[in-house]
Amino acid sequence: ILYVINLVFLCIPLAILGLFFRLIPLKTWKVNCKRWMERLAGYWIKGNYLIQELTTSIEWRVTGLDPLVYHEWYLLVSNHQSWADILILQRIFNEKIPPLKFFLKREFLWTLPFASWACWLLGFPFMYRYSKKVLAKHPELKNKDIESTKCACQRFKAVPTTVASFIEGTRFSDRKRKLQESPYQYLLRPKATGIGFSLAVLGDFFHKILNVTIIYPPKKASLWQFLSGDIKKITVYIESLPITPDWLGDYQGDRQFRISFQKKLNDLWAQKDKLIRETQSR
């Protein structure tokens, strides 16, 4: 109930600002309006933090925050197990790096009222997800996500931004892992397309890649378990990776680069899987 109240209180002034943002075509107004909207989002995150402190007793173990700078661009990649992942990332990175902008599925606009509308007003990119059956009938839709990614990244050039992506594409479960025949024990296969295009468009802007690993207690990772205080310990590892030339290239046109880029992600995910296994065995 407290989380819902906090969210609704954010959405009302955010919706009013969003309306005037679109009605008034003055550039200075739009810049200031955007700044106020981002500030509201920061208050929402602080409200969630306060609720967590009041209602749960989680032991937080976070490593790797020290070298981060607020006025830089970052590309953040993370494993994905629960809706709680978003609350966790916002909690630990708030006011330490620029506001997180997640790539979200477009259907969330209709299935997650208030939260998804707030994300839309704040400029989060919403991506289409078509089934293989739909793409077989309409192959022209295949590049729709590519264009959405490019347009979103162009907008992110205006102010320091953290582009955040759960590159597995969906939340982890043993059933999904088996269906994918994933080579990892705790992870699904990473998908390279989104961050490949993000780096292609914003590669000169990004300061670093933040490789984030969120680790819950075994068998306890649901949003409800997080909100109700059933989870007693959460470990987050943050690895800052330099953006070397081998991360940058023509992801769309260079097949060899796509192969090498996917291999780098696979290697990164293999290390992440090992880290989760070692942490949970302690």
Side-chain angles (χ1 to χ4, degrees), residues 187-207:
L187 303 167
L188 303 177
R189 294 179 182 272
K191 298 179 180 180
T193 304
I195 66 166
F197 283 110
S198 298
L199 282 164
V201 176
L202 283 169
D204 293 336
F205 284 77
F206 283 132
H207 180 59

Side-chain angles (χ1 to χ4, degrees), residues 78-81 83 103-105 107-108 129 165-172 176 180 188-192 269:
S78 174
N79 59 317
H80 190 22
Q81 302 161 84
W83 284 112
F103 286 95
L104 301 174
K105 297 177 183 178
E107 54 264 34
F108 290 161
R129 288 290 182 268
S165 180
F166 296 119
I167 61 175
E168 293 160 296
T170 185
R171 286 164 288 165
F172 173 87
K176 293 174 185 176
Q180 277 192 1
L188 303 177
R189 294 179 182 272
K191 298 179 180 180
W269 242 236

Side-chain angles (χ1 to χ4, degrees), residues 11-27:
C11 282
I12 292 171
L14 191 64
I16 294 170
L17 282 173
L19 176 64
F20 284 108
F21 176 82
R22 282 160 176 76
L23 289 177
I24 301 175
L26 298 176
K27 184 176 180 180

Side-chain angles (χ1 to χ4, degrees), residues 22-225:
R22 282 160 176 76
L23 289 177
I24 301 175
L26 298 176
K27 184 176 180 180
T28 304
W29 162 256
K30 286 184 176 293
V31 170
N32 288 329
C33 195
K34 216 42 169 170
R35 188 179 297 122
W36 296 332
M37 291 165 73
E38 295 287 359
R39 193 170 296 170
L40 277 173
Y43 291 145
W44 174 67
I45 294 169
K46 289 179 179 178
N48 287 338
Y49 174 89
L50 180 60
I51 294 168
Q52 290 160 24
E53 293 298 295
L54 289 172
T55 60
T56 64
S57 56
I58 299 172
E59 177 189 350
W60 293 90
R61 293 192 178 182
V62 182
T63 60
L65 279 173
D66 293 342
L68 303 182
V69 180
Y70 187 81
H71 299 292
E72 297 282 1
W73 278 259
Y74 292 97
L75 174 62
L76 186 154
V77 297
S78 174
N79 59 317
H80 190 22
Q81 302 161 84
S82 164
W83 284 112
D85 297 343
I86 295 176
L87 295 175
I88 290 168
L89 292 175
Q90 288 175 329
R91 173 193 171 104
I92 65 177
F93 286 113
N94 189 39
E95 297 185 339
K96 295 180 176 63
I97 59 177
L100 307 180
K101 292 290 189 294
F102 290 93
F103 286 95
L104 301 174
K105 297 177 183 178
R106 183 162 286 272
E107 54 264 34
F108 290 161
L109 279 170
W110 325 118
T111 56
L112 286 176
F114 292 109
S116 60
W117 303 338
C119 291
W120 178 73
L121 288 167
L122 289 166
F124 284 47
F126 283 82
M127 316 302 290
Y128 293 90
R129 288 290 182 268
Y130 299 108
S131 66
K132 291 181 180 179
K133 187 177 180 180
V134 172
L135 289 175
K137 290 183 178 180
H138 303 279
E140 71 277 5
L141 296 175
K142 187 175 182 180
N143 294 325
K144 202 169 184 68
D145 266 0
I146 294 173
E147 294 307 315
S148 298
T149 303
K150 288 181 178 178
C151 289
C153 288
Q154 289 291 347
R155 293 197 302 270
F156 294 155
K157 287 182 178 181
V159 293
T161 304
T162 302
V163 178
S165 180
F166 296 119
I167 61 175
E168 293 160 296
T170 185
R171 286 164 288 165
F172 173 87
S173 71
D174 282 324
R175 184 183 63 83
K176 293 174 185 176
R177 182 179 65 83
K178 291 172 183 175
L179 284 173
Q180 277 192 1
E181 297 182 348
S182 170
Y184 315 110
Q185 183 178 354
Y186 299 99
L187 303 167
L188 303 177
R189 294 179 182 272
K191 298 179 180 180
T193 304
I195 66 166
F197 283 110
S198 298
L199 282 164
V201 176
L202 283 169
D204 293 336
F205 284 77
F206 283 132
H207 180 59
K208 285 183 179 178
I209 298 172
L210 301 181
N211 175 32
V212 180
T213 306
I214 303 171
I215 305 174
Y216 297 92
K219 309 297 182 184
K220 289 188 178 182
S222 74
L223 176 61
W224 177 250
Q225 287 172 322

